[in-house]
Amino acid sequence: MKRSRTAALLLMSTAPLLLTACDRSESASREGLYTSVEACVAQTNDSNTCQQAFAKAQQDAVATAPRFANREECEASYGKEKCAERNDGASHSFFGPLMTGFFLSQMMSRNGVAANGFNSAPAFRDSNGGWQRPATGAGGVYRGGAGTAMVPVNATPNRAVTSSRSGFGTSGSSRGIGG
């Protein structure tokens, strides 16, 4: 009798934890790589957010793009006519790649509507056709300097955005039925 009472209390105390882990009301984030505002709007149907994300990515591109001492070094990494001369505001000139796309991350509510705004980041296409984005906390770094400010990205541009959820059941939601 004592064991069954203890077992019942134990099960009752863990039930809220188990139910919380299965709760699907958490927000999901979705991120897309876009080559234009128009491509973003076609996928998200949110013109205002796409325009704001593009403008913010352009602004961030100036601060976070790789910096090169001359045009030749930049074009070796990003391709012919894909680099521009820039100024950091303190009379220091450098060359950097042109932004060729932007990332848009949105927090989505349970019903699929953008919940808490968005994050955006510039995207650059290298001379091998791969995509790169600034590393978290990156400020433009001269090549050959203290490190590289870019990280490679394996995203397909202008495709439907992907969703990701955190918590229990993340992998189960992505499996299909059948063999």
Side-chain angles (χ1 to χ4, degrees):
M1 186 79 139
K2 233 180 189 180
R3 280 190 213 166
S4 62
R5 185 182 276 168
T6 305
L9 287 174
L10 181 61
L11 285 174
M12 287 173 47
S13 66
T14 59
L17 178 62
L18 292 173
L19 293 175
T20 302
C22 293
D23 185 14
R24 296 213 180 251
S25 65
E26 288 184 26
S27 295
S29 67
R30 60 184 200 177
E31 179 176 77
L33 168 60
Y34 304 102
T35 56
S36 67
V37 172
E38 293 77 20
C40 177
V41 172
Q43 290 295 320
T44 65
N45 294 321
D46 189 347
S47 177
N48 189 41
T49 298
C50 290
Q51 290 172 354
Q52 289 178 5
F54 178 76
K56 183 179 178 310
Q58 277 187 313
Q59 184 179 12
D60 291 348
V62 174
T64 61
R67 298 177 181 194
F68 296 87
N70 59 54
R71 184 180 303 273
E72 292 76 27
E73 289 178 16
C74 182
E75 288 182 347
S77 294
Y78 290 94
K80 206 121 177 98
E81 299 181 18
K82 304 285 189 212
C83 296
E85 186 172 6
R86 302 222 167 92
N87 191 315
D88 65 5
S91 299
H92 298 116
S93 293
F94 61 93
F95 289 87
L98 298 171
M99 185 179 95
T100 51
F102 66 101
F103 286 93
L104 169 62
S105 299
Q106 291 181 291
M107 289 302 294
M108 305 305 289
S109 67
R110 184 176 186 175
N111 61 3
V113 176
N116 299 326
F118 66 91
N119 289 319
S120 66
F124 303 92
R125 195 142 198 198
D126 64 25
S127 59
N128 297 325
W131 288 92
Q132 298 177 340
R133 74 186 304 166
T136 304
V141 175
Y142 283 94
R143 289 285 186 211
T148 301
M150 305 300 284
V151 292
V153 176
N154 294 326
T156 303
N158 306 324
R159 283 253 177 112
V161 292
T162 57
S163 293
S164 64
R165 294 183 186 271
S166 59
F168 184 73
T170 303
S171 60
S173 64
S174 65
R175 286 189 218 131
I177 300 173

